[in-house]
Amino acid sequence: MTDFSFACTGVRADRYAAGPTLVFRLRVTAADNARVHALALRCQIRIEPARRGYAPAEADGLADLFGERSRWGSTLQPVQFAQVSVMVPSFTGEIETDLVVPCTYDLEIAATRYLTALTDGEVPLLMLFSGTAFTGTGGFQVEPVPWDREAAFRMPVTAWREMVEQHFPGCGWIRLPRDTMDALLAYRSRHALPSWEATVAALLEEAAEPPAHDPLRALTATTGRTDP
């Protein structure tokens, strides 16, 4: 059986993708300079939160995921980031290929909330590989890629932020139930508001607390006098 090993050598944001996409550069090595006709590869990517430190502001942003910081010894568990497939072309010994990972900015997804809370540094990732290899020099053999193949990689937080800024520059994104969306749309139409930003701003203005009661202001408003 061919002994495969994997390493991730870099990551970049795909600026030409239709949606947020990261492209990981993957190096695949077949031991003994083995001939590989093709490799149908599956890759599960996990975030390993316990493998890095966090600034106080980052810890505050992760409270909804992992609870209070005093409990992180038991709650800082791996987070699923993605699961993708790639077909690696023919090679002998070693090859580099791109692993394309479509992403989401949906803040209901745990991985997105985790990545959004980070301000700097690196994201510790663990890539778990499996799949089917088609090998052989004088013939054609089919063999599995063992489930224990993995590669650790530390993705710069800047790569994630660059990807988000390419598709949502200066903006956030939230998901709402259909009933809430219908109510918002009705409110926007009723007030002839030009955009969703204006709609939310109007609602926030309505919901703002009134200023504290000022006896002097109330008195001057009643009498019309501002001097004793």
Side-chain angles (χ1 to χ4, degrees):
M1 180 177 293
T2 306
D3 185 15
F4 289 99
S5 61
F6 302 89
C8 183
T9 61
V11 63
R12 60 180 172 84
D14 188 350
R15 63 176 62 250
Y16 302 109
T21 303
L22 290 173
V23 181
F24 292 86
R25 192 64 176 168
L26 197 65
R27 179 184 299 148
V28 183
T29 303
D32 301 326
N33 207 33
R35 171 69 173 166
V36 179
H37 301 292
L39 185 60
L41 197 62
R42 293 186 296 273
C43 179
Q44 179 184 153
I45 305 177
R46 293 179 184 170
I47 299 171
E48 303 274 307
R51 295 181 181 272
R52 61 157 285 167
Y54 299 91
E58 293 174 327
D60 292 342
L62 295 171
D64 61 333
L65 276 181
F66 304 119
E68 296 180 0
R69 195 161 189 169
S70 59
R71 300 175 53 236
W72 281 14
S74 59
T75 62
L76 214 59
Q77 298 298 318
V79 177
Q80 180 77 6
F81 178 54
Q83 185 158 336
V84 293
S85 299
V86 61
M87 181 62 75
V88 181
S90 173
F91 67 97
T92 300
E94 185 175 283
I95 190 173
E96 289 200 358
T97 188
D98 286 339
L99 184 68
V100 179
V101 179
C103 300
T104 176
Y105 194 47
D106 185 347
L107 294 177
E108 297 296 320
I109 306 298
T112 306
R113 283 155 58 194
Y114 173 84
L115 293 166
T116 302
L118 303 184
T119 58
D120 200 3
E122 298 172 332
V123 183
L125 300 177
L126 182 63
M127 297 178 164
L128 307 171
F129 299 96
S130 63
T132 303
F134 303 90
T135 62
T137 53
F140 194 80
Q141 299 176 344
V142 180
E143 53 185 292
V145 176
W147 281 86
D148 61 352
R149 304 293 96 165
E150 61 184 42
F153 179 67
R154 301 187 73 85
M155 178 180 72
V157 173
T158 52
W160 168 264
R161 292 190 171 276
E162 179 186 352
M163 178 199 70
V164 172
E165 280 299 308
Q166 286 175 1
H167 295 273
F168 308 103
C171 300
W173 190 94
I174 58 173
R175 180 172 62 88
L176 295 174
R178 173 62 62 187
D179 292 345
T180 306
M181 282 298 301
D182 291 343
L184 276 175
L185 183 59
Y187 178 88
R188 176 178 172 177
S189 299
R190 189 164 59 248
H191 293 81
L193 295 168
S195 65
W196 287 116
E197 180 181 359
T199 304
V200 174
L203 286 169
L204 291 175
E205 185 177 355
E206 288 184 8
E209 295 183 1
H213 179 66
D214 185 346
L216 178 59
R217 177 174 299 179
L219 179 62
T220 55
T222 302
T223 62
R225 296 179 57 185
T226 56
D227 296 328

